Amino acid sequence: MIKPLRKAVLPVAGLGTRFLPATKATAKEMLPVVDKPLIQYAVEEARAAGIEQFCMVTGRGKTALVEHFDIAFELEATLRERNKVEALALLEGTQSEPGSIVTVRQQVPLGLGHAIWCARAFIGDDPFAILLPDDLVLADTPCLRQLADAYRDTGGNVVAVTEVPREHTNRYGILQIGKDDGRLVEVKGLVEKPAPKDAPSNLSIIGRYVLMPEVIGHLAKMERGAGNEVQLTDGMAKLIGNQPFHGLRFEGRRFDCGDKIGFLEAQIAFALKRPDLADAVRAFLKTYM
Ligand code: UTP
């Protein structure tokens, strides 16, 4: 029997150095794309995939991420008193079931694999999703929903993948590919940040995963990988051969919002999707061309 997917881990303990000084006192995941913080896009995408329980792996200076999903009593009371119905409605996506979001602390950012291991008590024996909020996906069917569907079909680990230019393989986790039907790819191996000449393909993992709980046992060994960090990719690689492991070429466009250019591009792409903004954005863009 395939266990239902109900849990998601949101690792948000990184330092966000590429966005200093903005991230000196604010979490990178609170940066907005148009008018919504990255963390809220991730939570809404997860909910749309049937996720009910969330674990944020946080670090210092990340309290706003938790506050964002709490009731802001004074704000809401003031808006109600002033009859600001539309403004109140904008807060809807920030509401959460009591007890549905827990946090664990990763005191030292030792790497993504270490961050996931910090959520081990939350994960228990269940399959779980991971969403990296700085990867934003614009898609008709939310990206994690696509992965959850593939998980139901394959019954094992599924990661979202996309082609990257060969000269960029040293920025990502890269797949060694087995059978490939054009959409679903059998994963034969995984390498974190290989040099272009050593990369087994140019198919890269993006920040959406559905993983089996056995990955925690491998991460617990705390082996250091690329960049002397505990790499999630290395832990996942140990599952291959023992459990089904697939890459899914998801439908949609991914924006790497942990990077300035990706972040700026996401602002434009998401604004152009908004009926209240698209015309004005198109008009001002023309003046810069
Ligand atoms: P990044 O590689 O983007 O690192 O992490 P970062 O620290 O957030 O940003 P830069 O590179 O310094 O600008 C990818 C994801 O993994 C989380 C981050 O919060 C982000 O969601 N992460 C990374 C952790 O939670 N802990 C870590 O030790 C490392």
Side-chain angles (χ1 to χ4, degrees):
M1 215 228 5
I2 292 175
K3 274 195 174 180
L5 181 67
R6 296 281 177 259
K7 294 181 176 177
V9 178
L10 300 161
V12 290
L15 297 176
T17 52
R18 284 170 291 167
F19 269 96
L20 285 170
T23 47
K24 184 184 171 194
T26 306
K28 172 171 73 172
E29 299 79 8
M30 281 305 291
L31 297 178
V33 168
V34 184
D35 51 8
K36 200 193 285 183
L38 290 169
I39 188 75
Q40 192 179 333
Y41 284 98
V43 167
E44 288 179 357
E45 181 183 326
R47 285 181 182 144
I51 299 296
E52 294 167 356
Q53 299 168 44
F54 294 87
C55 178
M56 287 191 203
V57 183
T58 68
R60 278 187 63 255
K62 301 278 182 170
T63 45
L65 290 165
V66 182
E67 300 269 326
H68 188 73
F69 295 97
D70 199 358
I71 290 175
F73 181 77
E74 284 171 43
L75 172 66
E76 288 170 35
T78 309
L79 292 176
R80 226 169 274 123
E81 208 175 281
R82 296 183 185 173
N83 207 20
K84 301 259 184 201
V85 183
E86 285 175 18
L88 267 172
L90 293 175
L91 295 176
E92 217 169 276
T94 68
Q95 278 153 11
S96 55
E97 277 288 304
S100 62
I101 302 180
V102 300
T103 63
V104 296
R105 196 87 160 177
Q106 185 195 23
Q107 288 89 344
V108 186
L110 296 177
L112 181 57
H114 181 264
I116 299 304
W117 174 81
C118 288
R120 64 198 178 281
F122 168 81
I123 294 164
D125 292 328
D126 294 316
F128 64 104
I130 303 173
L131 297 98
L132 306 189
D134 48 8
D135 259 341
L136 196 53
V137 185
L138 190 57
D140 291 336
T141 305
C143 185
L144 191 65
R145 166 95 265 162
Q146 299 177 45
L147 286 191
D149 290 345
Y151 161 65
R152 260 192 306 277
D153 294 342
T154 63
N157 306 275
V158 191
V159 294
V161 298
T162 191
E163 317 267 344
V164 295
R166 190 151 268 273
E167 62 271 25
H168 291 171
T169 57
N170 57 357
R171 300 181 189 175
Y172 304 105
I174 299 289
L175 270 63
Q176 185 192 337
I177 299 171
K179 261 192 244 139
D180 183 354
D181 73 4
R183 197 180 77 92
L184 208 56
V185 187
E186 188 193 358
V187 179
K188 288 279 191 197
L190 290 167
V191 200
E192 185 63 28
K193 299 189 174 66
K197 65 173 175 43
D198 304 324
S201 76
N202 66 337
L203 212 50
S204 124
I205 304 176
I206 72 149
R208 298 289 182 279
Y209 313 69
V210 174
L211 297 181
M212 301 305 108
E214 288 76 14
V215 73
I216 296 296
H218 297 297
L219 295 173
K221 294 180 190 133
M222 294 297 147
E223 288 165 15
R224 301 293 181 111
N228 198 30
E229 293 190 343
V230 181
Q231 294 288 355
L232 177 62
T233 303
D234 298 339
M236 293 191 303
K238 304 241 169 69
L239 299 173
I240 298 166
N242 299 316
Q243 300 180 337
F245 207 124
H246 293 86
L248 178 74
R249 287 195 185 85
F250 59 98
E251 169 276 315
R253 264 191 83 186
R254 172 269 199 134
F255 301 91
D256 179 2
C257 292
D259 171 80
K260 285 185 259 289
I261 293 297
F263 183 69
L264 292 170
E265 201 182 337
Q267 303 289 348
I268 304 294
F270 277 72
L272 288 173
K273 283 276 173 194
R274 287 269 296 257
D276 57 332
L277 301 173
D279 287 346
V281 172
R282 224 172 266 120
F284 84 60
L285 281 177
K286 275 195 195 126
T287 68
Y288 287 93
M289 303 316 281

